[in-house]
Structures are given as structure tokens and as C-alpha cells.
Amino acid sequence: MNSVDLNTLEAWQAARLLARRELLAADLARACLDRIVQRDGEIHAFAHLDPDHAMAQAHALDRGAIRGPLHGLPLGVKDLFDTVDFPTTYGSPIYEGHRPDSDAAAVALCREAGALVIGKTVTTEFAFFHPGPTCNPRDVRHTPGGSSSGSAAAVADHMLPLALGTQTSGSVIRPAAYCGVVGYKASSGRVPRAGVKSISEALDTLGGFGRSVRDVALLGAVLTGDRRLEEGLDDPKAPRIGMCRTAEWPHADADTQQAWAEASAVLIRHAPATQDVALPEDMPDLVALQKEIMAFQMYRALSYERLCSLDQFSLQLQAQMDDGAKISSASHAHHLWQARTARRRINLVFEQFDVLVAPSAAGEAPIGTDATGDPVFCRGWTLLGLPCVHLPFARGRHGLPIGVQLIGRWGDDHRLLAFAQWVHDRLMSKGR
Amino acid sequence: MNSVDLNTLEAWQAARLLARRELLAADLARACLDRIVQRDGEIHAFAHLDPDHAMAQAHALDRGAIRGPLHGLPLGVKDLFDTVDFPTTYGSPIYEGHRPDSDAAAVALCREAGALVIGKTVTTEFAFFHPGPTCNPRDVRHTPGGSSSGSAAAVADHMLPLALGTQTSGSVIRPAAYCGVVGYKASSGRVPRAGVKSISEALDTLGGFGRSVRDVALLGAVLTGDRRLEEGLDDPKAPRIGMCRTAEWPHADADTQQAWAEASAVLIRHAPATQDVALPEDMPDLVALQKEIMAFQMYRALSYERLCSLDQFSLQLQAQMDDGAKISSASHAHHLWQARTARRRINLVFEQFDVLVAPSAAGEAPIGTDATGDPVFCRGWTLLGLPCVHLPFARGRHGLPIGVQLIGRWGDDHRLLAFAQWVHDRLMSKGR
């Protein structure tokens, strides 16, 4: 195999070769580092990089026993996760040079499974909206999305096969959509958040990026501890698909609407039980509720930084603090009740459907890198705590990626990933 | 006022004097430090203490404007919470000398409200069962309970008016019971856990200790952001009280059973709607479920430490890791579903009752300081995420404290605290 191509291997392909020692971790890491050197001056996916340390990890993995399903795979880690061997700055100047004394639990789980942390990827400031320097590798004039900007861009640009992200509003699914990679956000509560900078307990969720469903399933196996996902994905029967435009449909532009219609046409052919579905009428306005809960909780979760370093917050973050300060605790308790009730009601939908298909984003990645786009199509699902997978399969008017997201029942991450594979295969097949 | 007595003031009394500048923060801090010097060689409530730094904070508070409801109150912080100005060792030798770069959000909120962090209090190892050196100030041959051992002991021994704690099984309510102070565990999700060492996301909850219901309500005002609690507590009408022995009643010894009968007799006189209540029959075994969820989640939340420093874990913690490793992710997902269902079902009970009264512990603090007692009466309520208050009001056969815990509807912390005040007044009144 030509070493020039190694960085383009999908994670599951590389993992198989690495497990058989037909590929050395050092060769794969070298190929990824070469790609990073070649491209990152333009893309700016990395916040912290240490090639010597990456190669040292790779050599150690090549010398040792096979550790687990991620053995030898270079992993990008969003700079919101603590790492002992890289600085961790949470996208904020307040934490410049910060060196945690431990790895985030999710990072440790990936290392235990054999992953090699190649670097820390750019996050927006505290995973909110103020962007880092990252550009969209599909067209550098466009935003990669946020807040997991660097992770999505690095995977899309073949700098890495896998990367970790987090989602509080739409920070996995949106950048996956804008960069044209597969994004996976786990069910709330399934992946330990220990050592990940907390901005909203009710909403922060972990996930990651790959270039195929199998890749994110491999990562999901380690993050959730679900060993069934290590073996590859079941091939399910045609799922009962609910095509869910959501109440935010008017935000979808012509590209998103067209891709949606295309997906709908293909899926109904292969899964005859496919039908349009709306969320229950007694659901509250999930987008508004998500914003209220996030504002209240961010104000409080970032109390130390707000008290000691408010002048180092971006104007956007300062405005968010002002919004959060205005919400009373009694209102917040009511909002949390509404969220609990909505999380219960959504289960009824999953009695009728195995998986929902919804827009991931309003359209292609917007032009400009001074903003990260609108998470309006993600806020509701994040609030509901449901597992989500973004599948890229189309192009918009500027040739940038467009796709759809799949949403599963809470806790059923392994089934969602199997359905995502099934849907992906149908959407990508030539004679669809 | 004689300075010898200042350390015995309840928090709300001191807060009122401090807000009027009739009491200086420096005088109160000095009185507390004197008490600590006099007593802590025997009690070992503190993991880290810095008298000069405490006095510097006190003088700054006396010079500045009144900050908030905790202005000038010395606060003990369980050594599971990150603090920038004290070492934070989580009760483990792995973190000896560890210096966080930020305060836990809850600590920052308390400082914003004017609290003075006087020191870090002893926690068991990672808030699990391996004890620290703390003794029970009521009788040093007995355990103070855990895991918030130092916080409960320091408040009981008048070293401090207020202290922070956490509860994953029974780590606030049990030490409050054993040491004879008021303990308050907030509703799950109401207090930000950012910067508190995470051992189980589904279960970790924050709370604190004081010597009166009003004291913990003051702390609760700051922790939950509920300003209604700053003003003092409403005087509610006689609540509908559910006397709930729980399925664990056979674990209660004669002392607990007698105190229970006494409480029941008093309360039924003052609140005629009082009646016995059992949890719904379709509830799962909450204690078993809590243990399973905790074992799985601890194994994963402590992944970094488990991988790098397993030899520095106590044997108890190592055994817990072994237990956690045996649980499959599929079982865990099922357990989380059961917990969600149980959290929904318990709401039905609160349609009939305003507050539940249950045992806090099996009996008095057990003799010996090599174990911290059994949290069997707390595990279920923690799993359900409900707010709890421990009220001490009786003595057992060794003269050690006994009490009951009150449990409220999820999210209704302010109402629970008002009911707790009402119940406490009835239990303590002479002519009850």
C-alpha cells in the first residue's frame, strides 16, 4: 500500500489492518501527520499538535499487544476534553497554556482501546458560538460549523480517520453536515463527561466524527462501552422510517429541501413503511426551550470564568451571560420539567417508527468564517437527549455537502447506527 | 458578643449580622479558625487548611461591598470540588498536591454570594467507601459517615457554619445523620456539577450541611439560584405527609424504629393528612439498581485513574472496578431506562403527598472509623434524583444522633425546605 494513501483509509479499514499488523501505527500516524503539515496551514483544524509525541505513541503501540478496537488509530480530540499530554484551552484565552492533570474519561477510554491522540482540535470558545480559526476544507471561504470545528474539518480533510466532539446545541451534527462527514452524537447519559468542560448539564453530549457509519460505530463502541458495535453493524430489516421535517422546516433552504425530497423518494422505495411524521402536538417549542435552559445553565456552569475573567469573554459569550442572568431559577425548574415531559412524550413516536430522518442544517455551510451557522435543526433533538447520526449524501448549489440526520430512540445507539448504515447504503447506491 | 461564641452562630444568624456590619467577617473567621485549631487534631475534618488565606479573604470581604446572602460566612468545601486556592486531592493519593486552574462552579457561586472558603474538608477516596481520617465529633470512636465526612463533622463540631457536600449513594444524608446536623441534597440537575470530580453522572448530586434548616436553605438559595430561599422560608399549611418506611425497613435498628414512631406520632397530630405510604408496587428494586448503575459508571468515569494508577486505588475501589467491568453496556442501558421509568412513577406519589418522611440511616453512627456505614436508606432517593433534607431530632442508645429524612418532589427544593422547617419546628417543640 502506498503510504501517500494511508491517511484516506476509513477507520474500520485501518483498524482491521492494524489488528493484523499488516499496517503499522507509525506508518498511519506518519501519513496523517504529513497530511496535516501539508494542509493545516490553510485549514487550521488543530489547536495543539505534537508530532514527536504522536510518533512516540505510535511506536509504543506497534511494540505492544493489540489493545482494543481502536488500536493504532490516530484520533483528534476536541480541545474541550482534558488531556494530560496536550494543553487544553477550551477555545478561550483564559486557559492559555492550561495543562490538566488527567485525561477526560472519554479520552482515557479511547486510549485504553488503543487510540493514539494525534492532537487537539479547534473548538469555538467554550463550545459556544465565537469561532476559532478553522476553515471548511471543502471551500476555505466557508465556515466548517461549530463548535467541534476542528474535529469535523480534520476528518473531512483526511488528516485523521476519527475525532471526538461534543454537542450542546448542534455542535456535532452541524459541522458534520457542513464538512460532509458522518457525525454521531450519543444518547444523553451514555458516555461519561468527566473531564470535558461543562457548559450545560442538561444538554452537553459527547460524540464524534468519521468518514463512514462503520467508523463512528467503532468510536461509539468505545464511548458507550457497547461491544456489539465492535463487530460491525447488524443488517436490519427495512426500518419503519419517520420522515420528520420538524417545526423548523421553514428555515430549510432549497438545497436542504431538495436533498430531503430525494432522500424521501429513495427511502420510501426501499422501506415501504416510511411516512411523514410530525412531533406530537402537545410538545413545547423545543428550540426555545433548549435556548432558555442553555442560557441559564451556561451562566452558572461558567461561574468561575465569569467572575474572574469576564473581560476575556467574547462579546457573544458576554451577551449569553446577560441572557442567562435574567432567567429565574423558578422558570428554569419549570423548563427542566417541560424537557422531562418532552423526553417522555417523544418515546411514543418511537413506538411507531424505528428511526426518524430530519434535516441536519438549513443548507450548505454559510460563507464566511466569522460565524459557525445556525444549529436550529439540532437544538430540539439535543434537548430530547436522543442519539443522532448525520449522513452526507448530496451537494448544494455551491457544490458543498448536504445530508440528513437520523434520530433514534433514547439509549438505542447501536440500533440507530445499524439503521444509519442501512439508510446510507440506500442513499448512496447508484440504482437507488 | 463574646468572640468565643461566634463560631456557634447559625449561618442565617451570622449572615444577618454580617450584612449589617454588626459582625466582621474577620472576627467570625477567627473564631472558626480558633475552634479548628483547638479541635481538628482530634477530629481531622480538614484535608487542606490555610488560616492566613482565610483571614485575607475575610479582611477583603470586610473592606468591600456586601456581596450576597453568604457574605462573610466561612464555608467548608468537600475536597471533591476543585478550588484554585487550595489543593484538591479527591481523597486519593493519586492527586496529592493537585492544584486546579479553576474553582468548581458551585464554589464560584458561593464566593460570588460572599462566602469565604476556609478550607477543604475530608472526603473518602473519590467519594466512595474507603474512609479518610475524620472522626465523629459526637464520639470520636465512631465514624462520621461518608463520603462528605469532613464537611458534616466540621459543621457538627462548630468549626464552620456551612459546608458543601456531594451524594452519589448517601454521602450527604448519612453523614448528616451520624453527626447530627441538617443535610440537604438538591434535586438532580438543579446545581451545576462543573469542576466536581465525577464518579457517576446519573447519580452524583450536590448539597451541603448546616446546623438548621434555614442554614441549608441559604446555601440552597445560592446553589440552585433560587432567590426565594434567601428571604427565609415560607410558613406552609400543614403538609400532606407520607410516612415511608421504604422496602429497606428491615435494616432499621431499634433506635431508628423508635425515632420513626415518635416522629410519626408527632406529625400525625399536627398534620392530620399524614399517613403511611409505600412506593408503587411496580417500582424496581431501587437499591440494587442504584448499585448497578454506580458500578458501571464509576468504572468508566474513573478510566484515567484506573488505567494509570490502579495500584493506588484502595482494595475497596479496586473491587468496585471489578464489579463495574462485569456489567455490559446493554444491561446498563436497560438500567438507565428502569431509572427513568422509576423517576416518572414516583411523581404519582407526590400527587397525593407534599413530602415523604423516611429513615436516613439504619441507626446511630457505627463504632469504628475504618468504614463509613451503610447508605441503604439513601440509595433509592438518590437514584430517583429527588431533593432530600436530613433532620436530627433524637438520640440513640449510645447518645448519638438519630433523625429522619424528608424527600420532596423533583425540582421543588424550595418547597421541600419550607416543609422541612415546618416538620422540624413540630419535632423540636416541647409540647409536641
Side-chain angles (χ1 to χ4, degrees), chain A residues 26-298:
Chain A
D27 291 337
L28 180 57
R30 172 53 56 209
C32 289
L33 287 167
D34 286 350
R35 177 73 180 174
I36 292 167
V37 167
Q38 182 195 335
R39 294 279 297 167
D40 206 46
E42 192 174 17
I43 306 301
H44 304 292
F46 285 89
H48 313 289
L49 195 65
D50 183 345
D52 291 343
H53 176 57
M55 290 310 299
Q57 292 175 69
H59 290 304
L61 286 160
D62 284 332
R63 281 192 305 269
I66 298 294
R67 285 207 206 155
L70 304 183
H71 190 92
L73 291 179
L75 177 74
V77 175
K78 183 180 184 178
D79 202 21
L80 207 69
F81 292 71
D82 285 347
T83 44
V84 278
D85 48 356
F86 290 91
T88 301
T89 45
Y90 314 131
S92 165
I94 298 169
Y95 285 95
E96 197 176 324
H98 173 54
R99 287 272 181 179
D101 281 349
S102 56
D103 281 333
V107 171
L109 286 166
C110 289
R111 292 197 208 254
E112 182 178 27
L116 170 173
V117 178
I118 209 164
K120 299 297 284 290
T121 57
V122 168
T123 173
T124 61
E125 178 194 29
F126 295 122
F128 195 56
F129 287 105
H130 188 70
T134 313
C135 301
N136 191 317
R138 308 289 182 180
D139 183 334
V140 294
R141 295 167 303 178
H142 293 250
T143 177
S147 64
S148 309
S149 318
S151 284
V155 170
D157 205 45
H158 298 101
M159 298 177 186
L160 296 168
L162 288 176
L164 292 175
T166 66
Q167 176 157 318
T168 305
S169 298
S171 290
V172 168
I173 298 303
R174 178 161 101 271
Y178 289 172
C179 295
V181 294
V182 177
Y184 159 59
K185 178 199 96 68
S187 295
S188 59
R190 284 297 298 275
V191 183
R193 297 181 293 188
V196 179
K197 185 70 181 169
S198 170
I199 64 169
S200 166
E201 286 207 34
L203 301 169
D204 298 339
T205 346
L206 305 196
F209 304 88
R211 289 188 296 271
S212 69
V213 176
R214 288 185 71 171
D215 286 7
V216 297
L218 208 53
L219 194 56
V222 175
L223 293 178
T224 66
D226 193 334
R227 308 207 56 165
R228 292 171 295 187
L229 289 169
E230 288 177 26
E231 313 301 325
L233 296 159
D234 299 336
D235 188 27
K237 285 186 303 186
R240 299 169 301 165
I241 298 173
M243 297 295 300
C244 186
R245 285 186 171 82
T246 75
E248 289 66 51
W249 183 250
H251 294 276
D253 73 7
D255 291 329
T256 289
Q257 295 199 3
Q258 195 188 322
W260 171 266
E262 223 178 292
S264 192
V266 172
L267 294 174
I268 206 158
R269 208 151 56 238
H270 293 276
T274 298
Q275 53 178 285
D276 285 356
V277 60
L279 296 191
E281 288 206 353
D282 53 1
M283 278 281 187
D285 178 344
L286 297 176
V287 171
L289 192 54
Q290 190 273 349
K291 287 184 185 176
E292 291 283 308
I293 288 174
M294 185 168 170
F296 182 89
Q297 295 200 339
M298 279 187 77

Side-chain angles (χ1 to χ4, degrees), chain B residues 121-412:
Chain B
T121 58
V122 168
T123 173
T124 61
E125 178 194 29
F126 295 123
F128 196 55
F129 288 104
H130 188 69
T134 312
C135 301
N136 191 318
R138 309 287 180 180
D139 181 336
V140 294
R141 296 167 303 177
H142 294 250
T143 177
S147 65
S148 309
S149 318
S151 283
V155 170
D157 204 44
H158 299 101
M159 298 177 186
L160 294 168
L162 288 176
L164 292 175
T166 67
Q167 177 156 317
T168 305
S169 297
S171 289
V172 168
I173 298 303
R174 178 161 100 273
Y178 289 172
C179 294
V181 293
V182 177
Y184 160 59
K185 178 198 96 65
S187 294
S188 59
R190 284 298 299 275
V191 183
R193 297 181 294 187
V196 179
K197 185 69 180 169
S198 169
I199 65 169
S200 166
E201 287 208 32
L203 302 170
D204 297 339
T205 345
L206 305 196
F209 302 88
R211 288 188 295 270
S212 70
V213 177
R214 287 185 73 170
D215 285 8
V216 297
L218 207 54
L219 194 56
V222 175
L223 293 177
T224 67
D226 194 332
R227 308 207 58 163
R228 292 171 294 187
L229 289 169
E230 288 177 26
E231 313 301 325
L233 295 159
D234 299 336
D235 187 27
K237 283 186 302 188
R240 296 169 303 166
I241 299 173
M243 297 296 300
C244 185
R245 285 185 170 82
T246 76
E248 288 66 49
W249 182 251
H251 294 275
D253 73 6
D255 291 327
T256 289
Q257 295 198 4
Q258 194 188 321
W260 172 265
E262 222 178 291
S264 193
V266 172
L267 294 174
I268 205 156
R269 206 150 59 238
H270 294 277
T274 298
Q275 53 179 288
D276 284 356
V277 61
L279 296 191
E281 288 206 354
D282 53 1
M283 277 282 188
D285 178 343
L286 298 176
V287 171
L289 193 54
Q290 190 272 349
K291 286 182 185 176
E292 290 282 310
I293 289 175
M294 186 168 170
F296 182 90
Q297 295 201 338
M298 277 187 77
Y299 177 83
R300 297 168 61 73
L302 294 177
S303 287
Y304 172 74
E305 295 80 4
R306 174 174 59 76
L307 292 171
C308 299
S309 313
L310 189 64
D311 58 329
Q312 294 185 71
F313 280 20
S314 68
L315 294 178
Q316 276 157 302
L317 190 56
Q318 288 184 28
Q320 174 78 345
M321 295 294 112
D322 293 342
D323 290 347
K326 285 181 203 130
I327 300 166
S328 76
S329 179
S331 299
H332 181 61
H334 178 64
H335 295 150
L336 291 178
W337 264 111
Q338 288 183 291
R340 276 177 90 141
T341 307
R343 286 179 180 201
R344 189 168 75 237
R345 285 196 190 130
I346 195 69
N347 291 331
L348 297 174
V349 174
F350 289 100
E351 289 177 7
Q352 214 185 332
F353 296 99
D354 295 310
V355 63
L356 304 182
V357 176
S360 299
E364 297 174 291
I367 197 153
T369 54
D370 54 347
T372 61
D374 189 344
V376 67
F377 282 104
C378 301
R379 290 185 187 269
W381 308 120
T382 309
L383 180 72
L384 295 171
L386 303 177
C388 302
V389 171
H390 172 77
L391 295 180
F393 74 98
R395 301 261 158 197
R397 74 198 83 167
H398 301 99
L400 290 172
I402 295 278
V404 290
Q405 66 178 314
L406 274 58
I407 300 105
R409 185 167 168 269
W410 182 78
D412 280 357

